[in-house]
Amino acid sequence: MDLVEVKGISKRKKKALRGRTVEVLLEGPSEESDLLLEARSEMHAPEIDGKLYIADVPEGLTPVSGEFYRAEITETHDYDLVARIV
């Protein structure tokens, strides 16, 4: 299987998750942007799978690293997911 096939499979599987609510473990601020947090769900193995970015947090909530939150998948990319805490 070549990289194009792997990318296509990953993209299809990630797209199927859009709109789904999952429990995530908040890891902390993202290295990609000060506007994002990073988390992982039970389907994300550290340092192996893509990232799960938290882009939206309810007003009045101060998220804490190491805590679990419910998050809705709002965007999907080839390997990464974007979610909002609900």
Side-chain angles (χ1 to χ4, degrees), residues 36-55:
L36 299 171
L37 298 169
E38 286 186 19
R40 61 184 154 108
S41 71
E42 63 185 19
M43 64 186 127
H44 288 88
E47 299 179 19
I48 296 173
D49 292 314
K51 301 281 186 177
L52 190 152
Y53 296 104
I54 302 294

Side-chain angles (χ1 to χ4, degrees), residues 4 6 19-20 24 33 44 46 51 55 57-58 68 83-84:
V4 173
V6 170
R20 184 172 165 197
V24 300
S33 169
H44 288 88
K51 301 281 186 177
V57 176
F68 287 92
R84 66 181 183 93

Side-chain angles (χ1 to χ4, degrees), residues 1-12 79:
M1 187 176 303
D2 66 13
L3 290 177
V4 173
E5 289 174 303
V6 170
K7 185 176 181 179
I9 291 168
S10 176
K11 189 173 187 173
R12 280 192 304 279
Y79 300 105

Side-chain angles (χ1 to χ4, degrees), residues 12-32:
R12 280 192 304 279
K13 287 186 174 209
K14 299 289 188 251
K15 189 175 182 179
L17 297 172
R18 192 177 297 159
R20 184 172 165 197
T21 300
V22 295
E23 182 136 345
V24 300
L25 173 64
L26 185 65
E27 294 185 318
S30 174
E31 295 176 0
E32 296 293 319

